[in-house]
Amino acid sequence: MLSTVDALLPLSLLEAVRDVDKPADLDSEFVDELRNKRLGLSDTVYLQIKRYAEAVRKGQRAQHDESVALAKLIGRRPDADAVFRAAGQYLARESYRTINPVSRRMIRILPSMLARPLALRRTRTIAQRYLNGSVKRVGGYVLLDVPNSVTLNTGPGTVGCTYYEAMLRELLALLIGGVGSVDHVRCAGRGEGTCEWRADWKTFEKSA
C-alpha cells in the first residue's frame, strides 16, 4: 500500500465534514451546543484543516493511514454518502484550479475532437497526483483505476466509493462544461482486484 497521499485528499474529507455540519443559521444561539455534537464544528477538525491546508500550500504529502482513518470516521456517519460526495467534488474543484487558466479556456472553446484529448491528459495528471490512480481511454469511455482506495470498506457496502465517483464526475464536468454519467464498474471490496470507475464521454456534452 502507498504510504502517502497528496495533502489535498485528507483536506477534502475534512472540508466536506465541516461544510455538511455547518448550521444553516450561523448566528443561531445553538452554535456553541452544536460544536459539541457535530464533528465538523469541533476545534479538532478546525486545527486539522489548518494543518492540511498548510501542507497543501507547501506541496507536502500526508500519511495514507491518516486519510483512511478520516474516511472510516466519515463512514460511520448516517450521512456518509453525502459527505463523501461533497469531499470528492471539493477535491475536483481544487485540483481543477491547478490547471493553467489558458489551458482550461482552450479545452472549453475547442471542438470536442480537440478538447477531449486535452481534457484526458489533464484528468490523467490530476488522478495520478491526487488519487494515486491512473486514467486511460477505452473507446468512448474514460476509466479511472485506483489500486489503493482511501475510502475502501470505510462504510456500509460501497458508500466510500462515492468519493472517487463524485470526484471524476465533477472534474470532467468542469473540464468539458457538461454533466455526465460515471459508473463504478469494479470494486476491490467485492474481490475484483482494484476499484475502477467508467465515465462515458458521450454524456459529457459541452454546455452552451
Side-chain angles (χ1 to χ4, degrees):
M1 178 177 291
L2 296 173
S3 60
T4 64
V5 296
D6 192 281
L8 186 60
L9 193 156
L11 179 62
S12 72
L13 297 173
L14 289 169
E15 287 283 9
V17 169
R18 180 167 67 173
D19 185 62
V20 171
D21 284 351
K22 186 181 300 181
D25 183 4
L26 294 178
D27 296 323
S28 170
E29 61 181 353
F30 300 113
V31 168
D32 287 338
E33 181 182 348
L34 287 174
R35 248 179 233 284
N36 298 322
K37 295 181 178 179
R38 297 186 181 181
L39 177 64
L41 302 180
S42 69
D43 290 338
T44 299
V45 167
Y46 172 75
L47 292 174
Q48 287 288 79
I49 286 176
K50 285 188 63 177
R51 180 167 75 91
Y52 285 125
E54 181 67 9
V56 169
R57 188 182 71 80
K58 294 180 177 180
Q60 298 172 343
R61 292 178 69 80
Q63 292 298 312
H64 185 277
D65 289 347
E66 287 184 10
S67 299
V68 172
L70 286 173
K72 287 181 177 178
L73 201 60
I74 293 171
R76 293 199 293 264
R77 294 169 57 116
D79 59 353
D81 182 83
V83 178
F84 280 129
R85 193 172 299 280
Q89 292 168 345
Y90 179 92
L91 181 61
R93 290 192 296 269
E94 292 302 309
S95 61
Y96 176 73
R97 292 191 179 102
T98 66
I99 301 173
N100 184 288
V102 174
S103 297
R104 298 200 305 247
R105 177 64 177 167
M106 290 297 292
I107 293 172
R108 282 296 193 95
I109 64 176
L110 287 173
S112 295
M113 182 180 298
L114 300 176
R116 287 182 176 177
L118 295 177
L120 180 65
R121 188 180 310 160
R122 299 301 180 181
T123 303
R124 182 179 291 123
T125 300
I126 287 173
Q128 182 177 8
R129 175 177 174 180
Y130 296 104
L131 303 178
N132 288 335
S134 62
V135 168
K136 62 183 178 180
R137 180 177 179 180
V138 178
Y141 297 97
V142 174
L143 299 180
L144 166 65
D145 183 82
V146 180
N148 296 292
S149 167
V150 165
T151 61
L152 180 65
N153 296 327
T154 55
T158 59
V159 65
C161 298
T162 304
Y163 177 71
Y164 295 90
E165 175 194 330
M167 191 278 182
L168 181 59
R169 179 183 286 109
E170 182 74 5
L171 180 60
L172 292 178
L174 289 168
L175 285 166
I176 301 299
V179 179
S181 63
V182 176
D183 299 312
H184 188 203
V185 292
R186 296 182 63 189
C187 185
R190 297 193 296 258
E192 296 168 349
T194 64
C195 283
E196 187 175 86
W197 292 262
R198 181 179 65 194
D200 188 346
W201 269 137
K202 297 189 297 295
T203 64
F204 283 85
E205 297 297 335
K206 291 194 176 191
S207 57

